[in-house]
Amino acid sequence: MMITPIHRFRDIERKPEYLQPDKCVPPPSHSSLGAMWFIRDGCGIACAVVTWMLVVYADFVVLLVMLVPSRDYIYSVINGILFNMLALLALASHFRAMLSDPGAVPKGNATKEFIESLQLKPGQVVYKCPKCCSIKPDRAHHCSVCKRCIRKMDHHCPWVNNCVGENNQKYFVLFTMYIALISMHALIMVGFHFLYCFEEDWTKCSSFSPPTTVILLILLCFEALLFLIFTSVMFGTQVHSICTDETGNRTIEKGREKMG
């Protein structure tokens, strides 16, 4: 069997000397591993804050513009409880997705002792990430924002200021589902409220002036429609990736392989 340059490269990659373990800083002690996970990225933090503000704005319009002025008490109570329950679940899922370790590989674990402890067999391949000096497990990818290798990394989402990976994908899926549900719920209520205001006097269907009411409802309608489309697509792609056991990164890699 003829050994190609690629085979030679992979064969020597398992050797500790080739991985240059002496250049790696040992991973942190176990006492620091329990610290809260939070990515200090300005863009991601801003997107996360905007996400919470948009949910709060939607809740403000739903409650104070549509439900509180309504004469139908049962309609207001049922829809108010349902919308706020879904909104709280969405924010809780967002909070968990943002502050959960997505599956980060220990940084700097490509040391000589760790490589020897793996007891690699002849022909077995291991890969070292040159950026975070870690031994990369199968299907792990390096995130330039988190500055870590993430197991089963799907993508880095600025809206949750975190990577979507092995450990927090379930929270991201729940977040997209709840946002899609409250967006649909808000659109339905806006439609009913416009019909109600057209049939009744505009001064009686809201505690705000008619121009202010129209502007607030149009902004909510635009926000809800935009995020309904976006989160529905994201929810669908995440469910598909879970069912097929393939991450977004792996799908992109397969597409490049076919094109190449």
Side-chain angles (χ1 to χ4, degrees):
M1 177 181 176
M2 183 178 178
I3 300 177
T4 63
I6 295 177
H7 284 113
R8 292 197 195 97
F9 176 76
R10 289 190 173 183
D11 188 52
I12 62 174
E13 203 166 24
R14 66 184 177 85
K15 297 179 181 179
E17 293 78 9
Y18 179 80
L19 294 173
Q20 297 177 330
D22 295 334
K23 295 185 178 181
C24 293
V25 179
S29 60
H30 293 286
S31 59
S32 61
L33 296 178
M36 182 180 69
W37 178 273
F38 182 75
I39 303 301
R40 294 175 178 83
D41 175 57
C43 178
I45 294 172
C47 288
V49 171
V50 168
T51 301
W52 281 62
M53 290 177 64
L54 289 173
V55 174
V56 171
Y57 170 77
D59 194 51
F60 165 77
V61 176
V62 167
L63 289 179
L64 299 183
V65 177
M66 293 189 287
L67 296 183
V68 171
S70 176
R71 297 175 183 177
D72 192 336
Y73 179 76
I74 297 177
Y75 171 84
S76 298
V77 170
I78 293 176
N79 282 281
I81 292 174
L82 179 61
F83 187 86
N84 279 277
M85 182 178 66
L86 292 173
L88 286 174
L89 289 171
L91 293 179
S93 301
H94 182 273
F95 188 78
R96 291 298 300 271
M98 181 172 60
L99 298 182
S100 295
D101 182 349
V105 178
K107 196 172 184 178
N109 70 346
T111 59
K112 186 176 180 180
E113 292 77 13
F114 180 75
I115 296 170
E116 291 176 348
S117 68
L118 295 176
Q119 297 180 348
L120 301 174
K121 299 177 181 179
Q124 187 175 353
V125 179
V126 293
Y127 295 96
K128 169 192 168 185
C129 177
K131 297 178 181 179
C132 62
C133 209
S134 301
I135 298 297
K136 293 175 67 174
D138 187 32
R139 300 174 66 183
H141 295 272
H142 185 85
C143 175
S144 58
V145 180
C146 297
K147 296 184 172 75
R148 298 286 291 274
C149 283
I150 308 297
R151 292 189 298 272
K152 292 187 179 180
M153 174 183 167
D154 188 85
H155 68 287
H156 183 92
C157 179
W159 296 105
V160 297
N161 188 35
N162 201 359
C163 275
V164 178
E166 185 178 57
N167 293 345
N168 68 340
Q169 187 179 34
K170 57 184 176 182
Y171 302 124
F172 183 76
V173 171
L174 289 173
F175 168 67
T176 56
M177 183 186 72
Y178 290 133
I179 291 294
L181 288 175
I182 65 173
S183 298
M184 186 186 300
H185 190 194
L187 281 173
I188 293 172
M189 285 191 291
V190 168
F192 278 119
H193 198 72
F194 265 120
L195 291 175
Y196 172 72
C197 290
F198 282 134
E199 293 175 356
E200 299 288 335
D201 189 355
W202 275 86
T203 57
K204 296 179 181 179
C205 71
S206 175
S207 54
F208 296 88
S209 64
T212 303
T213 301
V214 172
I215 292 173
L216 292 173
L217 290 177
I218 290 176
L219 288 176
L220 176 60
C221 187
F222 177 76
E223 175 194 341
L225 183 62
L226 179 66
F227 280 94
L228 174 61
I229 296 172
F230 176 71
T231 54
S232 296
V233 171
M234 289 301 300
F235 176 76
T237 56
Q238 289 297 305
V239 171
H240 178 265
S241 67
I242 292 172
C243 293
T244 57
D245 195 26
E246 284 193 355
T247 62
N249 273 321
R250 181 56 186 159
T251 303
I252 294 173
E253 288 176 358
K254 282 190 174 181
R256 289 175 179 172
E257 289 173 2
K258 290 180 180 179
M259 293 176 63

